């Protein structure tokens, strides 16, 4: 019988943290109140993988993690504590790696071999392009960096750096024949091996390369010429054709077996938007696992967008993370910060225009190969229009780009056979945005393509529609999450995966409506405040959110430190390095994560600056600019000349601390009491001031957290406070079904500068009432309880009777969680 989904705890499994390490944590997680270990992918990955999404063999459990035996021991230990496993699976892509046996078989035997059907390769474009070379092919050949090597299996491979690319059997046979060896001759004598190796060393590499099912290329060509679908712009991750039933069976053989054996109790599906037909995929998976196994998908919903009616339990929760965060951001304060950047001419245009330009930039650079492939599909069937002069090749390409640029959500969900009204609404929104922003010729071509989306006439139209949907998501992710969010430092806690710079705040009625609907639907999908992919940790965001309550404190800080910061910059070609906008980003990042080491901020800036693509990027980094920005930041952190700025940061962080504490606790209370299943990211039961990965994947001090269970250890009071709150609320979730299956009723509280947000969760006689402040104008909250509060006996988290209506909250708990019935102060009960 599956454990009831009550709370998940995400662990990032990798070579440095294996099944055995997770097994040792099970008693701790059980005592904390966790129902399910939420595991990162466990299938065999590229050796040394730190995340598991670079799947090398989906049919085997990763031996680096402990293999099948290690996982079975972990599952057994979890079962002993009545806990389950929510497993992350990766149906969209696999590693294009010599460690992937399916990939190697396809390279060796070509498009007609069984393994080839796994991969989304466009063989009609010719041989498979492998853009793995550090230099152009001819230069690589002349440098002697390519060689032939025989493997123990008898396979002959082309060796380059850490790549081993198998030759087709015909080439192997020719080389063996040249050495005087028969195909069946094995094992080889020392003399035969010497003859073979001599033939390999003398072989005409250029001729051999021309004969393979694949062709080598310089890595830079991938942006312009690629004939397989990849994960975003990561050439090492190749798309999988999971829509094919045989491929589906191979990819899901292992997780379905684990579910049937009772070792896995729920599945998290990575990057659902990459699949050709997400709805069909979900239906097939649900039919195989049955109605009771939780299925959640990684899916980013834009504000106002609802999840399609798929047979799943919901999403991994980015929208809820942003709803909670938005409730704690003051809209007026955000606007004041935004207007300051505009007044300084550091921010221009609307968020929508900036996003469109970011998407356009990404599509013209790192995703240009995908745009070109989509343009070729779009061109099919338009020959008559082109010949008549009504359309041009350039207009079609521009229209393809414009369709994606103006797509308001990650994607539509049309299938080969049809589409829904929601899809047509998306396409109409694209048309309206194009009419405002694009030139007449692009609009003319776009109108033709939009009609083909709505009413495809030929197979290439349908293929165009499917491929368009698979590209619009990566363009949004790379344009928004990985570009615009790094360019717009208004208030960085808003710049989050699944967030919206046009909708940074949530009002009380909006939040009540969202959660009433979720309770009515008996939602049990995830509610995180941090994940392995979030841009910042929960307490990093909480500290920043307080700046929206008091924007003058941030603006005064910038004024106070402007001259001191100027002395830390460099000048090059008349420009300030880093420029003023990046200085704002750096300073706000330092404040958010303070105290922070030089190493952490330097590593963060390498990623942040390259993702922003303003002065540097991953393909052509500007090392001078990056070094100037890093020198600026590390000087603030540690150098004598940075002392004035460092001292000002210390004063600001100290001034923000009381409010940041309350905001951090409020978001924790909401995470654990709103409808859905709280998902706790590893280590965040203590305060977490992480930045984006890899910063948020640093080792966790598990000994300190175990000590916290016993009330022991040298633990900061703020960490102990958060830990105890989480543990108490998780205990409440186990004993009060109102929190897991109850309804939701807003509490109408008197207007207050604290902008109280309150609700009741009720299931029969069992009820929990929650009230948290969403603004922090002072040091001690004053809450007037509504009329009728005393009709039942209510107790707080410690089991004490709730004070009479109108009384102040206890200072140690700047929020209220009230419970009917008994509340045991003994958390070990």
């Amino acid at each position: 019988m599956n454990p009831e989904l009550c709370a998940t705890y995400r662990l990032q499994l990798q070579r440095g943290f294996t099944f055995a390490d997770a097994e040792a944590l099970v008693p701790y997680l059980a005592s904390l109140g966790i129902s399910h270990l939420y595991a990162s992918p466990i299938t065999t990955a590229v050796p040394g993988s730190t995340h598991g999404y670079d799947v090398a063999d989906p049919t085997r459990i990763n031996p680096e993690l402990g293999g099948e035996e290690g996982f079975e021991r972990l599952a057994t230990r979890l079962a002993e504590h009545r806990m389950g496993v929510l497993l992350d699976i990766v149906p969209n892509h696999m590693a294009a790696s010599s460690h992937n046996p399916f990939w190697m078989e396809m390279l060796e035997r070509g498009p007609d071999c069984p393994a080839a059907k796994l991969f989304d390769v466009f063989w009609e474009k010719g041989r498979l392009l492998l853009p793995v070379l550090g230099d152009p092919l001819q230069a690589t050949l002349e440098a002697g960096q390519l060689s032939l090597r025989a493997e123990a299996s008898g396979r002959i491979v082309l060796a380059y750096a850490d790549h081993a690319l198998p030759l087709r059997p015909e080439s192997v046979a020719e080389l063996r024949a040249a050495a005087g060896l028969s195909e069946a001759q094995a094992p080889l004598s020392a003399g035969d091996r010497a003859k073979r190796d001599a033939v390999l060393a003398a072989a005409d590499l250029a001729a051999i390369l021309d004969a393979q099912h694949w062709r080598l290329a310089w890595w830079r060509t991938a942006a312009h010429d690629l004939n397989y679908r990849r994960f975003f712009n990561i050439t090492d991750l190749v798309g999988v054709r999971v829509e094919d039933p045989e491929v589906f069976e191979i990819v899901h053989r292992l997780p379905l077996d684990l579910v049937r054996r009772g070792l896995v109790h729920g599945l998290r599906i990575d990057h659902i938007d990459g699949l050709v037909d997400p709805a069909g995929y979900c239906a097939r998976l649900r039919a195989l696992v049955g109605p009771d196994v939780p299925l959640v998908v990684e899916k980013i919903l834009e504000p106002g967008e609802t999840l399609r009616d798929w047979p799943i339990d919901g999403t991994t929760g980015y929208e809820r993370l942003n709803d909670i965060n938005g409730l704690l951001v003051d809209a007026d304060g955000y606007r004041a910060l935004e207007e300051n950047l505009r007044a300084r001419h550091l921010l221009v245009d609307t968020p929508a225009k900036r996003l469109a330009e970011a998407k356009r930039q990404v599509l013209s650079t790192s995703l240009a190969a995908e745009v070109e492939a989509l343009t070729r599909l779009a061109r099919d069937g338009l020959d008559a229009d082109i010949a008549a002069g009504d359309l041009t090749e350039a207009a079609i390409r521009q229209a393809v780009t414009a369709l994606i640029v103006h797509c308001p959500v990650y994607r539509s969900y049309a299938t080969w056979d049809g589409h829904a009204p929601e899809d047509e609404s998306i396409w109409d929104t694209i048309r309206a945005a194009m009419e405002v922003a694009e030139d007449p010729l692009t609009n003319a071509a776009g109108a033709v393509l939009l009609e083909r989306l709505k009413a495809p006439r030929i197979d290439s139209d349908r293929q165009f529609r499917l491929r368009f949907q698979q590209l619009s998501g990566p363009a949004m992710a790379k344009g928004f999450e990985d570009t615009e969010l790094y360019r717009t430092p208004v208030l960085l806690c808003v710049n989050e995966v699944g967030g919206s710079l046009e909708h940074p705040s949530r009002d009380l009625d909006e939040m009540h409506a969202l959660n009433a609907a979720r309770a009515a639907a008996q939602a049990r999908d995830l509610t995180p405040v941090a994940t392995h992919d979030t841009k910042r940790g929960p307490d990093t965001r909480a500290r920043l959110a307080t700046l929206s309550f008091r924007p003058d404190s941030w603006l005064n800080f910038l004024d106070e430190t402007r001259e001191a910061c100027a002395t830390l910059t460099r000048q090059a070609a008349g420009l300030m390095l880093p420029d003023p906008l990046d200085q704002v980003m750096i300073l706000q990042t330092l404040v958010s994560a303070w105290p922070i080491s030089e190493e952490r901020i330097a590593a963060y800036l390498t990623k942040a600056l390259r993702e922003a693509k303003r002065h540097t990027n991953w393909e052509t980094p500007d090392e001078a600019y990056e070094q100037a920005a890093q020198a600026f930041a590390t000087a603030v952190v540690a150098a004598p000349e940075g002392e004035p700025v460092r001292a000002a940061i210390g004063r600001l962080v100290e001034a923000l601390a009381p409010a940041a504490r309350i905001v951090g606790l409020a978001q924790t209370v909401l995470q654990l009491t709103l409808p859905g299943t709280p998902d706790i990211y590893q280590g965040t039961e203590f305060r977490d001031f992480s930045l984006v990965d890899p910063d948020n994947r640093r080792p966790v001090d598990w000994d300190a957290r175990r000590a916290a269970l016993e009330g022991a250890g040298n633990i900061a009071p703020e960490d102990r406070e958060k830990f105890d709150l989480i543990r108490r609320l998780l205990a409440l979730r186990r004993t009060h079904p109102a929190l897991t299956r109850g309804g939701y009723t807003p509490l109408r509280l008197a207007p207050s500068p604290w902008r109280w947000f309150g609700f009741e969760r009720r299931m029969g006689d069992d009820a929990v009432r929650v009230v948290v402040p969403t603004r922090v104008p002072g040091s001690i909250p004053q809450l007037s309880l509504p009329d009728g509060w005393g009709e039942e006996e209510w107790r707080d988290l410690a089991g004490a009777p709730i004070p009479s209506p109108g009384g102040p909250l206890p200072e140690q708990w700047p929020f209220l969680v009230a419970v009917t019935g008994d509340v045991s102060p003994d958390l070990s009960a």
Side-chain angles (χ1 to χ4, degrees):
M1 185 173 182
N2 285 350
E4 183 178 0
L5 195 60
C6 186
T8 64
Y9 193 99
R10 172 75 179 207
L11 288 178
Q12 292 297 113
L13 300 165
Q14 35 96 3
R15 186 163 57 186
F17 188 87
T18 66
F19 296 141
D21 298 302
E23 182 184 348
L25 280 181
V26 169
Y28 163 76
L29 296 177
S31 297
L32 186 62
I34 300 300
S35 67
H36 287 67
L37 187 157
Y38 173 15
S40 60
I42 65 170
T43 48
T44 299
V46 172
S49 174
T50 59
H51 48 78
Y53 292 100
D54 45 357
V55 177
D57 187 345
T59 67
R60 296 174 57 238
I61 294 179
N62 195 342
E64 287 191 343
L65 304 181
E68 185 172 355
E69 290 184 2
F71 182 75
E72 288 177 353
R73 285 193 298 269
L74 171 59
T76 299
R77 191 71 183 276
L78 288 164
E80 291 170 355
H81 288 79
R82 291 179 291 181
M83 294 172 64
V85 174
L86 177 66
L87 181 62
D88 197 343
I89 63 172
V90 190
N92 176 73
H93 54 266
M94 293 169 62
S97 165
S98 57
H99 300 284
N100 183 337
F102 300 98
W103 179 253
M104 292 291 277
E105 179 184 334
M106 182 180 69
L107 296 187
E108 183 177 22
R109 300 191 176 274
D112 296 326
C113 74
K117 68 167 49 184
L118 270 76
F119 302 107
D120 211 348
V121 177
F122 317 136
W123 291 103
E124 65 274 12
K125 283 189 62 180
R127 296 186 295 150
L128 175 64
L129 182 73
L130 298 180
V132 300
L133 300 179
D135 296 293
L137 175 57
Q138 190 58 41
T140 305
L141 280 166
E142 292 172 357
Q145 295 177 336
L146 303 178
S147 62
L148 297 179
R149 184 181 72 218
E151 296 188 330
S153 64
R155 178 182 272 165
I156 294 178
V157 300
L158 181 95
Y160 170 73
D162 59 350
H163 297 279
L165 308 173
L167 304 189
R168 63 190 300 167
E170 296 86 346
S171 297
V172 172
E174 291 173 4
L175 291 166
R176 291 178 66 92
L181 304 174
S182 67
E183 290 189 41
Q185 190 173 344
L188 300 180
S189 65
D192 287 339
R193 287 197 300 272
K195 288 190 293 184
R196 178 201 61 197
D197 293 345
V199 167
L200 299 184
D204 182 346
L205 288 179
I208 288 175
L209 289 175
D210 284 343
Q212 304 313 308
H213 294 294
W214 42 264
R215 59 187 179 95
L216 290 178
W218 192 15
W219 69 271
R220 293 185 182 277
T221 65
H224 305 283
D225 184 19
L226 197 66
N227 60 344
Y228 61 88
R229 183 173 65 86
R230 53 184 172 169
F231 174 70
F232 293 2
N233 62 334
I234 303 176
T235 308
D236 291 339
L237 297 177
V238 56
V240 170
R241 297 181 62 253
V242 76
E243 66 274 13
D244 183 294
E246 292 183 39
V247 176
F248 183 98
E249 191 280 327
I250 292 170
V251 170
H252 295 82
R253 185 181 302 160
L254 175 63
L256 290 175
D257 178 63
L258 296 175
V259 169
R260 293 186 190 106
R261 293 165 60 192
L263 302 179
V264 164
H265 310 87
L267 298 174
R268 180 260 198 195
I269 293 91
D270 182 64
H271 192 45
I272 191 76
D273 276 349
L275 308 186
V276 165
D277 179 13
Y281 170 88
C282 291
R284 180 178 294 166
L285 188 58
R286 172 59 75 197
L288 291 167
V289 300
D292 300 325
V293 173
L295 297 178
V296 294
V297 298
E298 184 198 31
K299 164 64 190 164
I300 293 172
L301 295 166
E302 292 298 295
E305 183 185 11
T306 57
L307 187 66
R308 297 296 176 93
D309 187 20
W310 300 337
I312 58 173
D313 294 279
T315 73
T316 55
Y318 288 116
E319 66 272 28
R320 287 175 289 286
L321 181 153
N322 284 284
D323 289 338
I324 292 172
N325 188 63
L327 184 67
L328 301 168
V329 169
D330 185 86
D332 291 338
Y334 185 89
R335 280 193 291 271
L337 298 174
E338 184 177 26
E339 286 308 312
N340 175 263
L341 292 183
R342 291 187 184 279
R344 295 170 60 191
H345 307 290
L346 300 181
L347 192 67
V348 298
D349 290 330
T350 65
K353 285 186 177 179
R354 295 197 305 270
L355 173 58
E357 288 310 306
K359 291 170 72 174
R360 201 181 300 275
Q361 180 180 353
V362 165
L363 289 165
S364 67
T365 53
S366 56
L367 295 178
E370 283 77 6
V371 171
E372 186 57 38
L374 195 57
T375 300
R376 282 194 298 272
L377 276 174
R379 194 182 296 123
D380 288 352
L382 296 181
D383 292 343
D385 298 277
I386 294 171
D390 294 330
L391 295 178
T392 66
E393 297 273 349
I396 296 170
R397 182 177 293 102
Q398 290 167 4
V400 167
T401 297
L403 292 182
I404 298 170
V405 162
H406 297 294
C407 187
V409 293
Y410 275 69
R411 62 167 285 175
S412 52
Y413 294 95
T415 65
W416 185 271
D417 298 316
H419 66 273
E422 298 97 322
D423 301 314
E424 194 145 341
S425 177
I426 292 169
W427 302 332
D428 288 343
T429 300
I430 293 173
R431 182 192 296 271
M434 286 182 63
E435 289 173 350
V436 172
E438 304 296 335
D439 65 80
L441 189 56
T442 301
N443 270 310
V448 172
L449 297 181
L450 283 165
E451 284 306 310
R452 295 174 73 193
L453 288 177
K454 293 181 179 181
R457 296 171 299 172
I458 57 178
D459 283 356
S460 65
D461 291 350
R462 296 177 179 85
Q463 192 66 35
F464 170 78
R465 184 163 71 177
L466 299 180
R467 293 292 182 187
F468 164 75
Q469 296 178 144
Q470 287 181 294
L471 181 55
S472 62
M476 177 71 89
K478 298 303 295 182
F480 181 66
E481 296 171 33
D482 293 344
T483 302
E484 180 59 19
L485 291 188
Y486 289 95
R487 291 177 170 179
T488 309
V490 175
L491 186 64
L492 290 174
C493 65
V494 172
N495 296 24
E496 194 50 87
V497 177
S500 170
L501 302 185
E502 293 184 293
H503 191 50
S505 185
R506 306 289 188 274
D507 63 40
L508 302 184
D509 289 341
E510 181 182 9
M511 277 294 284
H512 284 314
L514 289 169
N515 284 285
R518 284 179 51 73
Q522 291 285 292
R524 63 172 181 170
D525 52 356
L526 304 186
T527 302
V529 291
T531 77
H532 62 289
D533 277 336
T534 42
K535 303 296 185 187
R536 286 161 190 86
D539 299 283
T540 320
R541 286 198 311 275
R543 184 182 287 169
L544 289 172
T546 65
L547 293 176
S548 71
F549 310 156
R550 52 199 76 186
D552 287 347
S553 65
W554 174 248
L555 301 181
N556 291 339
F557 165 81
L558 292 179
D559 289 340
E560 176 189 355
T561 59
R562 187 162 288 120
E563 289 187 8
C565 285
T567 67
L568 304 179
T569 62
R570 300 176 184 175
Q571 296 291 323
L575 300 176
M576 180 184 292
L577 308 182
D579 73 10
L581 186 65
D582 280 338
Q583 287 182 47
V584 173
M585 179 272 289
I586 293 169
L587 291 171
Q588 202 173 116
T589 299
L590 290 171
V591 168
S592 73
W594 197 262
I596 187 171
S597 68
E598 295 174 78
E599 293 76 16
R600 284 180 63 200
I601 189 63
Y604 172 78
L605 287 177
T606 298
K607 181 168 186 171
L609 294 170
R610 292 182 182 182
E611 296 285 26
K613 306 170 189 66
R614 295 178 60 244
H615 299 286
T616 185
N617 56 63
W618 292 106
E619 291 82 9
T620 55
D622 184 332
E623 294 182 2
Y625 189 87
E626 292 177 8
Q627 290 169 3
Q630 291 169 337
F632 175 90
T634 55
V636 172
V637 170
E641 60 270 27
E643 172 56 29
V645 184
R646 188 159 60 248
I649 289 175
R651 290 191 296 271
L652 179 58
V653 169
E654 183 178 3
L656 296 176
R661 166 184 170 258
I662 292 173
V663 171
L665 295 173
Q667 74 176 350
T668 299
V669 170
L670 293 172
Q671 180 195 17
L672 275 74
T673 58
L674 288 171
T677 302
D679 168 35
I680 298 174
Y681 181 67
Q682 61 181 30
T684 59
E685 60 271 38
F686 281 15
R687 290 175 306 157
D688 178 69
F689 293 97
S690 293
L691 301 172
V692 74
D693 72 279
D695 192 65
N696 64 359
R697 302 179 191 183
R698 288 169 292 147
V700 175
D701 185 349
W702 298 114
D703 289 339
R705 285 155 179 78
R706 289 188 181 98
L709 280 177
E710 309 301 325
N714 184 22
I715 299 168
E718 297 86 353
D719 291 331
R720 191 178 297 280
E721 178 182 47
K722 181 180 180 182
F723 181 90
D724 288 345
L725 173 62
I726 288 173
R727 195 175 177 209
R728 287 180 182 276
L729 289 172
L730 288 176
L732 207 64
R733 291 182 65 83
R734 292 198 302 270
T735 56
H736 288 263
L739 283 178
T740 54
R741 300 190 298 278
Y744 180 97
T745 303
L747 295 179
R748 300 303 175 185
L749 305 170
S752 161
W754 292 80
R755 205 183 77 146
W756 295 98
F757 177 75
F759 55 91
E760 178 183 274
R761 307 289 312 280
R762 181 176 289 274
M763 185 175 179
D765 293 334
D766 181 48
V768 177
R769 286 179 176 174
V770 175
V771 182
V772 299
T774 66
R775 301 292 180 268
V776 188
S779 58
I780 301 177
Q782 295 292 320
L783 170 65
S784 295
L785 300 179
D787 293 339
W789 187 277
E791 293 176 359
E792 298 174 274
E793 181 179 345
W794 297 89
R795 295 183 177 274
D796 67 16
L797 284 176
I802 295 295
S804 60
L809 292 180
E811 185 174 352
Q812 69 270 26
W813 296 113
F815 51 82
L816 184 62
V817 178
V819 183
T820 59
D822 294 331
V823 179
S824 173
D826 180 7
L827 294 178
S828 63

